[in-house]
Amino acid sequence: MKDALAIHRWLLAHQVHHEIVRLPRVMTCAEELPELLAVSPATCVVVTVFEATTSVGREPVAVVSSAASPPKLGAVGGALGARKVRPASAFTVNSATDYAAGLVCPLLLPDGLTTLVDERLARAGDLVHTPTGERRTALLIRTEHLLSLVSGKTIDLAQSRSRREQVTFPLAG
């Protein structure tokens, strides 16, 4: 499993200024970050993993968004042209991301994992917090740096899309 040290080393290698923050208590899921750090949910980045059923088959999909604006199943399904979208099991999250379920960091996700990034994150503010895969730490990083390092397709997840408006790109396989 990936952790804060792996993220820290990777960011140092890319010469990206960041801080690993020690949390005041144990976190069970990323949605707890705003409360633990006494910050706005809009400045906390979370990764939600779904299982999407398309004509190709069932595939995990990671969605990077703010804790204030969690992705809607309809928006994710519409973007992928999926017949069915459901939250992924903890086992699927762990195996697809190499992070602990609920604590997935948007950095260092596997190349083959389809990743969608909510375009509203660009308006999150100057600095954002995100999980590190560990229950006692978070990552503090500039929003622009995080978004430039996340490998994924940036799309509008504010509303559901009809099938005519869907974004097309290959699912991991």
Side-chain angles (χ1 to χ4, degrees):
M1 289 284 173
K2 294 178 185 136
D3 59 9
L5 184 57
I7 294 165
H8 176 67
R9 287 179 175 161
W10 188 78
L11 289 170
L12 285 176
H14 285 84
Q15 299 180 349
V16 175
H17 183 72
H18 65 282
E19 182 179 341
I20 301 295
V21 178
R22 173 73 83 195
L23 299 175
R25 67 178 198 274
V26 172
M27 168 176 55
T28 59
C29 66
E31 288 74 11
E32 295 174 357
L33 273 177
E35 179 187 339
L36 287 169
L37 296 169
V39 296
S40 167
T43 63
C44 293
V45 177
V46 299
V47 177
T48 309
V49 180
F50 296 99
E51 196 169 59
T53 304
T54 66
S55 58
V56 177
R58 267 193 317 199
E59 298 289 337
V61 177
V63 180
V64 181
S65 63
S66 78
S69 304
K72 295 181 174 127
L73 291 174
V76 174
L80 297 170
R83 290 182 275 208
K84 182 177 179 182
V85 176
R86 65 180 182 182
S89 68
F91 175 80
T92 300
V93 173
N94 296 347
S95 58
T97 65
D98 202 25
Y99 283 105
L103 304 174
V104 179
C105 179
L107 300 175
L108 298 176
L109 292 172
D111 291 333
L113 178 63
T114 298
T115 305
L116 304 177
V117 180
D118 190 338
E119 70 181 15
R120 294 175 288 179
L121 283 177
R123 300 185 297 270
D126 189 36
L127 298 170
V128 292
H129 290 90
T130 187
T132 62
E134 295 178 359
R135 298 161 56 102
R136 291 203 170 269
T137 61
L139 171 68
L140 177 64
I141 188 170
R142 290 193 175 283
T143 306
E144 65 186 77
H145 292 158
L146 179 70
L147 294 176
S148 70
L149 294 169
V150 173
S151 58
K153 177 94 173 155
T154 302
I155 65 169
D156 177 13
L157 287 175
Q159 55 189 327
S160 299
R161 299 173 186 270
S162 71
R163 290 216 177 251
R164 289 190 311 268
E165 301 175 277
Q166 64 186 287
V167 177
T168 57
F169 49 90
L171 287 173

